[in-house]
PDB file of all heavy atoms in Angstrom:
ATOM      1  N   LEU A 201       0.214   3.593   2.633  1.00 98.00           N
ATOM      2  CA  LEU A 201      -1.099   4.081   3.028  1.00 98.00           C
ATOM      3  C   LEU A 201      -2.028   4.087   1.904  1.00 98.00           C
ATOM      4  O   LEU A 201      -3.285   3.803   2.058  1.00 98.00           O
ATOM      5  CB  LEU A 201      -0.948   5.460   3.575  1.00 98.00           C
ATOM      6  CG  LEU A 201      -0.254   5.552   4.966  1.00 98.00           C
ATOM      7  CD1 LEU A 201       0.171   7.008   5.364  1.00 98.00           C
ATOM      8  CD2 LEU A 201      -1.091   5.025   6.140  1.00 98.00           C
ATOM      9  N   CYS A 202      -1.549   4.292   0.640  1.00 97.00           N
ATOM     10  CA  CYS A 202      -2.464   4.254  -0.506  1.00 97.00           C
ATOM     11  C   CYS A 202      -2.817   2.743  -0.863  1.00 97.00           C
ATOM     12  O   CYS A 202      -3.988   2.475  -1.174  1.00 97.00           O
ATOM     13  CB  CYS A 202      -1.748   4.826  -1.661  1.00 97.00           C
ATOM     14  SG  CYS A 202      -1.749   6.666  -1.688  1.00 97.00           S
ATOM     15  N   TRP A 203      -1.860   1.937  -0.821  1.00 98.00           N
ATOM     16  CA  TRP A 203      -2.146   0.537  -1.171  1.00 98.00           C
ATOM     17  C   TRP A 203      -3.135  -0.159  -0.136  1.00 98.00           C
ATOM     18  O   TRP A 203      -3.849  -1.013  -0.381  1.00 98.00           O
ATOM     19  CB  TRP A 203      -0.842  -0.259  -1.317  1.00 98.00           C
ATOM     20  CG  TRP A 203      -0.126   0.017  -2.574  1.00 98.00           C
ATOM     21  CD1 TRP A 203      -0.303   1.111  -3.446  1.00 98.00           C
ATOM     22  CD2 TRP A 203       0.962  -0.798  -3.261  1.00 98.00           C
ATOM     23  NE1 TRP A 203       0.479   1.012  -4.489  1.00 98.00           N
ATOM     24  CE2 TRP A 203       1.259  -0.147  -4.420  1.00 98.00           C
ATOM     25  CE3 TRP A 203       1.442  -2.016  -2.898  1.00 98.00           C
ATOM     26  CZ2 TRP A 203       2.221  -0.661  -5.302  1.00 98.00           C
ATOM     27  CZ3 TRP A 203       2.445  -2.461  -3.762  1.00 98.00           C
ATOM     28  CH2 TRP A 203       2.845  -1.889  -4.927  1.00 98.00           C
ATOM     29  N   LEU A 204      -2.929   0.346   1.117  1.00 98.00           N
ATOM     30  CA  LEU A 204      -3.794  -0.128   2.086  1.00 98.00           C
ATOM     31  C   LEU A 204      -5.219   0.537   2.056  1.00 98.00           C
ATOM     32  O   LEU A 204      -6.162  -0.136   2.492  1.00 98.00           O
ATOM     33  CB  LEU A 204      -3.207   0.122   3.520  1.00 98.00           C
ATOM     34  CG  LEU A 204      -3.794  -0.479   4.722  1.00 98.00           C
ATOM     35  CD1 LEU A 204      -3.890  -2.013   4.535  1.00 98.00           C
ATOM     36  CD2 LEU A 204      -2.972  -0.110   5.935  1.00 98.00           C
ATOM     37  N   GLY A 205      -5.312   1.650   1.403  1.00 98.00           N
ATOM     38  CA  GLY A 205      -6.666   2.267   1.179  1.00 98.00           C
ATOM     39  C   GLY A 205      -6.942   3.444   2.134  1.00 98.00           C
ATOM     40  O   GLY A 205      -8.027   3.891   2.188  1.00 98.00           O
ATOM     41  N   LEU A 206      -5.972   3.846   2.901  1.00 98.00           N
ATOM     42  CA  LEU A 206      -6.184   4.958   3.895  1.00 98.00           C
ATOM     43  C   LEU A 206      -6.019   6.332   3.242  1.00 98.00           C
ATOM     44  O   LEU A 206      -6.602   7.297   3.650  1.00 98.00           O
ATOM     45  CB  LEU A 206      -5.275   4.925   5.052  1.00 98.00           C
ATOM     46  CG  LEU A 206      -5.308   3.608   5.853  1.00 98.00           C
ATOM     47  CD1 LEU A 206      -4.554   3.707   7.129  1.00 98.00           C
ATOM     48  CD2 LEU A 206      -6.758   3.245   6.189  1.00 98.00           C
ATOM     49  N   LEU A 207      -5.212   6.331   2.156  1.00 98.00           N
ATOM     50  CA  LEU A 207      -4.970   7.564   1.399  1.00 98.00           C
ATOM     51  C   LEU A 207      -5.245   7.268  -0.150  1.00 98.00           C
ATOM     52  O   LEU A 207      -5.244   6.177  -0.462  1.00 98.00           O
ATOM     53  CB  LEU A 207      -3.552   8.113   1.508  1.00 98.00           C
ATOM     54  CG  LEU A 207      -3.072   8.681   2.787  1.00 98.00           C
ATOM     55  CD1 LEU A 207      -1.589   9.062   2.551  1.00 98.00           C
ATOM     56  CD2 LEU A 207      -3.866   9.877   3.287  1.00 98.00           C
ATOM     57  N   TYR A 208      -5.579   8.282  -0.874  1.00 96.00           N
ATOM     58  CA  TYR A 208      -5.544   8.125  -2.344  1.00 96.00           C
ATOM     59  C   TYR A 208      -4.856   9.316  -2.952  1.00 96.00           C
ATOM     60  O   TYR A 208      -4.792  10.445  -2.400  1.00 96.00           O
ATOM     61  CB  TYR A 208      -7.068   8.022  -2.859  1.00 96.00           C
ATOM     62  CG  TYR A 208      -7.802   9.357  -2.865  1.00 96.00           C
ATOM     63  CD1 TYR A 208      -7.820  10.196  -3.927  1.00 96.00           C
ATOM     64  CD2 TYR A 208      -8.531   9.675  -1.690  1.00 96.00           C
ATOM     65  CE1 TYR A 208      -8.527  11.387  -3.924  1.00 96.00           C
ATOM     66  CE2 TYR A 208      -9.256  10.864  -1.653  1.00 96.00           C
ATOM     67  CZ  TYR A 208      -9.243  11.724  -2.764  1.00 96.00           C
ATOM     68  OH  TYR A 208      -9.948  12.854  -2.773  1.00 96.00           O
ATOM     69  N   GLU A 209      -4.290   9.152  -4.123  1.00 95.00           N
ATOM     70  CA  GLU A 209      -3.566  10.174  -4.880  1.00 95.00           C
ATOM     71  C   GLU A 209      -4.420  10.741  -5.925  1.00 95.00           C
ATOM     72  O   GLU A 209      -4.890  10.055  -6.879  1.00 95.00           O
ATOM     73  CB  GLU A 209      -2.335   9.560  -5.367  1.00 95.00           C
ATOM     74  CG  GLU A 209      -1.394  10.666  -5.988  1.00 95.00           C
ATOM     75  CD  GLU A 209      -0.079  10.163  -6.600  1.00 95.00           C
ATOM     76  OE1 GLU A 209       0.109   8.895  -6.741  1.00 95.00           O
ATOM     77  OE2 GLU A 209       0.708  11.025  -6.963  1.00 95.00           O
ATOM     78  N   ALA A 210      -4.683  12.043  -5.913  1.00 93.00           N
ATOM     79  CA  ALA A 210      -5.366  12.731  -6.993  1.00 93.00           C
ATOM     80  C   ALA A 210      -4.374  13.060  -8.092  1.00 93.00           C
ATOM     81  O   ALA A 210      -3.450  13.886  -7.881  1.00 93.00           O
ATOM     82  CB  ALA A 210      -6.039  13.987  -6.452  1.00 93.00           C
ATOM     83  N   ARG A 211      -4.548  12.506  -9.299  1.00 86.00           N
ATOM     84  CA  ARG A 211      -3.537  12.608 -10.310  1.00 86.00           C
ATOM     85  C   ARG A 211      -4.054  13.204 -11.619  1.00 86.00           C
ATOM     86  O   ARG A 211      -3.416  13.199 -12.702  1.00 86.00           O
ATOM     87  CB  ARG A 211      -2.873  11.324 -10.641  1.00 86.00           C
ATOM     88  CG  ARG A 211      -2.014  10.738  -9.518  1.00 86.00           C
ATOM     89  CD  ARG A 211      -1.010   9.674 -10.024  1.00 86.00           C
ATOM     90  NE  ARG A 211      -0.230  10.229 -11.163  1.00 86.00           N
ATOM     91  CZ  ARG A 211       0.872  10.960 -10.926  1.00 86.00           C
ATOM     92  NH1 ARG A 211       1.310  11.299  -9.701  1.00 86.00           N
ATOM     93  NH2 ARG A 211       1.500  11.511 -11.940  1.00 86.00           N
ATOM     94  N   GLU A 212      -5.297  13.629 -11.617  1.00 85.00           N
ATOM     95  CA  GLU A 212      -5.936  14.119 -12.828  1.00 85.00           C
ATOM     96  C   GLU A 212      -5.106  15.272 -13.468  1.00 85.00           C
ATOM     97  O   GLU A 212      -4.841  16.254 -12.737  1.00 85.00           O
ATOM     98  CB  GLU A 212      -7.376  14.525 -12.546  1.00 85.00           C
ATOM     99  CG  GLU A 212      -8.180  14.866 -13.819  1.00 85.00           C
ATOM    100  CD  GLU A 212      -9.609  15.216 -13.601  1.00 85.00           C
ATOM    101  OE1 GLU A 212     -10.120  15.015 -12.420  1.00 85.00           O
ATOM    102  OE2 GLU A 212     -10.310  15.570 -14.484  1.00 85.00           O
ATOM    103  N   GLY A 213      -4.806  15.130 -14.740  1.00 81.00           N
ATOM    104  CA  GLY A 213      -4.177  16.250 -15.395  1.00 81.00           C
ATOM    105  C   GLY A 213      -2.633  16.288 -15.219  1.00 81.00           C
ATOM    106  O   GLY A 213      -1.961  17.189 -15.675  1.00 81.00           O
ATOM    107  N   LEU A 214      -2.131  15.321 -14.497  1.00 77.00           N
ATOM    108  CA  LEU A 214      -0.677  15.330 -14.162  1.00 77.00           C
ATOM    109  C   LEU A 214       0.136  14.396 -15.147  1.00 77.00           C
ATOM    110  O   LEU A 214      -0.479  13.428 -15.677  1.00 77.00           O
ATOM    111  CB  LEU A 214      -0.394  14.841 -12.782  1.00 77.00           C
ATOM    112  CG  LEU A 214      -1.036  15.747 -11.714  1.00 77.00           C
ATOM    113  CD1 LEU A 214      -0.770  15.146 -10.286  1.00 77.00           C
ATOM    114  CD2 LEU A 214      -0.479  17.158 -11.697  1.00 77.00           C
ATOM    115  N   THR A 215       1.347  14.710 -15.373  1.00 77.00           N
ATOM    116  CA  THR A 215       2.241  13.902 -16.115  1.00 77.00           C
ATOM    117  C   THR A 215       2.781  12.733 -15.245  1.00 77.00           C
ATOM    118  O   THR A 215       2.653  12.784 -14.016  1.00 77.00           O
ATOM    119  CB  THR A 215       3.423  14.540 -16.743  1.00 77.00           C
ATOM    120  OG1 THR A 215       4.273  15.043 -15.628  1.00 77.00           O
ATOM    121  CG2 THR A 215       2.955  15.804 -17.512  1.00 77.00           C
ATOM    122  N   LEU A 216       3.417  11.714 -15.789  1.00 72.00           N
ATOM    123  CA  LEU A 216       3.927  10.641 -15.068  1.00 72.00           C
ATOM    124  C   LEU A 216       4.950  11.081 -13.982  1.00 72.00           C
ATOM    125  O   LEU A 216       4.997  10.520 -12.854  1.00 72.00           O
ATOM    126  CB  LEU A 216       4.583   9.552 -15.972  1.00 72.00           C
ATOM    127  CG  LEU A 216       5.010   8.325 -15.394  1.00 72.00           C
ATOM    128  CD1 LEU A 216       3.812   7.561 -14.904  1.00 72.00           C
ATOM    129  CD2 LEU A 216       5.752   7.442 -16.432  1.00 72.00           C
TER     130      LEU A 216
END
Side-chain angles (χ1 to χ4, degrees):
L201 290 167
C202 284
W203 285 18
L204 192 53
L206 302 188
L207 292 180
Y208 72 92
E209 184 182 10
R211 294 202 53 82
E212 188 175 353
L214 299 178
T215 67
L216 189 63

